[in-house]
Amino acid sequence: MNHRYQQKPTLHQWLTLLIGFVLSCVFAVPESRADNLIVLSRQLPSYQEVADTLASKLTTPSKILTLSELKRQNYDYSNYQQVIALGASAGDALFQTVPEGKHLIISFIPRQTYNALLLKHKNHPRVANGAVTAIYLDQPYSRQLALAKLIAPQAKSVATALGPHSANDLNLLRSAAQGHNLELKYETLQETDNPIHKLQPLIKSADIFLSLPDKSVFNRTTAKWILYISFKQRIPLIGFSKKYVEAGALAAVYSSPSDLGRQTAELANQYTNTAPLPKPTYPQYFHVSTNPTAAHSLHLNIPSEETLTKQLIELEK
């Protein structure tokens, strides 16, 4: 019977294996050692893009979970220095479950939605202790109107339609309009109103129309009518998203998921659990999207997207 000869490992080989094992133990970061827990409201590409950018720019290890995954597991939040919620659902769910002494950063959330969360949890100690903050999804009105003035420098007035939610921002809108020497014209729409009857004279009366992300006003049907009326009246329409520009609006300033992920990482890297978090803030990084076809139809010669973005950045320095 033949037996194959097996050579025993040399001392050098044994040492190599041992060193490799020790190094793997040293550099492997156990899941419980992660310093940041990132929770997505839903498993959507936009949320995942924010999370991926965020995790790649954090200086300490992180763990990414969806809200549904988190609910299926009995998670120990004490293992994390900071918890970062992406979206309103995750922010609402984590407000109560994350220990009071832990930071909660809520990103990728509209300003009005975040304010509603604060009102809902107003008696929670983390509000008084400064252990919660947010990075908004939407742009400040002053930035949107600055874009409008860059596109239409001769404009004297701006119109907009308010719904039940955005009506609370009337004073903010007035202040932003005054800051750009624009007269603010508006109509408040109720669910029972015929939007066309109110929007047509409103849009016709102004030099620019600013659309606001109020779902009660800008549903699909109303959004199409606003595009049609503004096009017919040759009034520049400033949208609130890149998709709205692609649908026909003249221009919009927006922040991509990567922009928000980058800013959220910078915030998380800067603040530790021993310091109160800063106040909620608007997006720091943004881009301008334009619709050349709409500009041609309006007989407007507008700067490029890159030029407009740079101009807005310069205005805010």
Side-chain angles (χ1 to χ4, degrees):
M1 189 174 185
N2 294 329
H3 295 275
R4 182 174 297 178
Y5 175 72
Q6 296 181 346
Q7 184 178 3
K8 293 183 179 180
T10 65
L11 178 61
H12 176 74
Q13 289 172 322
W14 274 114
L15 287 174
T16 301
L17 291 171
L18 180 60
I19 292 172
F21 173 75
V22 172
L23 289 175
S24 67
C25 292
V26 170
F27 290 104
V29 180
E31 185 174 301
S32 60
R33 288 275 307 279
D35 294 320
N36 306 284
L37 176 63
I38 303 170
V39 182
L40 286 65
S41 291
R42 290 186 290 172
Q43 187 63 62
L44 292 175
S46 56
Y47 287 97
Q48 192 63 52
E49 186 177 345
V50 178
D52 290 344
T53 304
L54 168 59
S56 70
K57 294 186 178 298
L58 287 171
T59 55
T60 53
S62 58
K63 174 67 178 177
I64 300 175
L65 290 173
T66 63
L67 183 59
S68 58
E69 289 172 335
L70 193 72
K71 289 179 177 179
R72 289 197 300 265
Q73 304 175 29
N74 185 18
Y75 239 78
D76 184 4
Y77 296 96
S78 63
N79 292 327
Y80 303 94
Q81 288 187 353
Q82 296 186 114
V83 181
I84 303 170
L86 301 184
S89 297
D92 189 18
L94 296 174
F95 216 106
Q96 295 285 0
T97 55
V98 174
E100 296 175 11
K102 300 291 180 182
H103 280 177
L104 175 60
I105 299 172
I106 307 175
S107 185
F108 208 50
I109 184 172
R111 176 180 54 83
Q112 291 184 357
T113 305
Y114 178 71
N115 288 338
L117 278 184
L118 286 185
L119 185 62
K120 178 180 179 180
H121 302 285
K122 61 181 179 180
N123 295 323
H124 197 284
R126 76 168 60 259
V127 177
N129 296 336
V132 61
T133 192
I135 296 177
Y136 301 139
L137 174 61
D138 39 332
Q139 305 293 318
Y141 294 133
S142 58
R143 184 179 294 164
Q144 292 174 292
L145 293 180
L147 172 62
K149 287 291 283 187
L150 287 174
I151 290 175
Q154 304 304 318
K156 301 296 183 184
S157 61
V158 58
T160 192
L162 304 175
H165 299 294
S166 53
N168 297 322
D169 283 353
L170 182 55
N171 288 335
L172 289 176
L173 281 163
R174 279 178 173 156
S175 178
Q178 289 173 0
H180 292 284
N181 297 317
L182 290 168
E183 178 190 359
L184 178 65
K185 301 182 178 183
Y186 67 94
E187 285 283 356
T188 302
L189 300 182
Q190 305 297 330
E191 292 182 1
T192 55
D193 288 336
N194 184 327
I196 301 172
H197 290 167
K198 283 194 170 184
L199 289 172
Q200 191 158 352
L202 174 65
I203 294 174
K204 187 178 181 179
S205 69
D207 298 320
I208 305 167
F209 188 86
L210 176 66
S211 59
L212 305 180
D214 190 322
K215 292 181 179 180
S216 58
V217 176
F218 291 97
N219 53 48
R220 285 188 176 184
T221 302
T222 307
K224 289 180 180 178
W225 275 111
I226 290 173
L227 285 170
Y228 173 75
I229 296 171
S230 63
F231 175 79
K232 187 177 179 180
Q233 300 293 338
R234 297 191 180 279
I235 303 298
L237 172 60
I238 305 300
F240 52 82
S241 69
K242 187 177 182 180
K243 287 186 177 180
Y244 203 18
V245 174
E246 292 171 353
L250 176 61
V253 56
Y254 70 97
S255 296
S256 69
S258 293
D259 290 331
L260 293 169
R262 173 187 175 187
Q263 184 174 348
T264 307
E266 290 174 352
L267 174 64
N269 289 333
Q270 183 178 358
Y271 288 86
T272 65
N273 244 7
T274 58
L277 289 168
K279 292 182 179 180
T281 183
Y282 287 102
Q284 178 182 351
Y285 306 107
F286 56 84
H287 308 275
V288 172
S289 176
T290 61
N291 188 320
T293 302
H296 179 75
S297 300
L298 294 169
H299 304 295
L300 289 176
N301 184 19
I302 63 175
S304 67
E305 295 177 343
E306 293 77 12
T307 299
L308 288 168
T309 301
K310 290 179 181 179
Q311 289 175 334
L312 284 179
I313 293 172
E314 286 297 320
L315 286 172
E316 294 187 8
K317 285 184 177 180

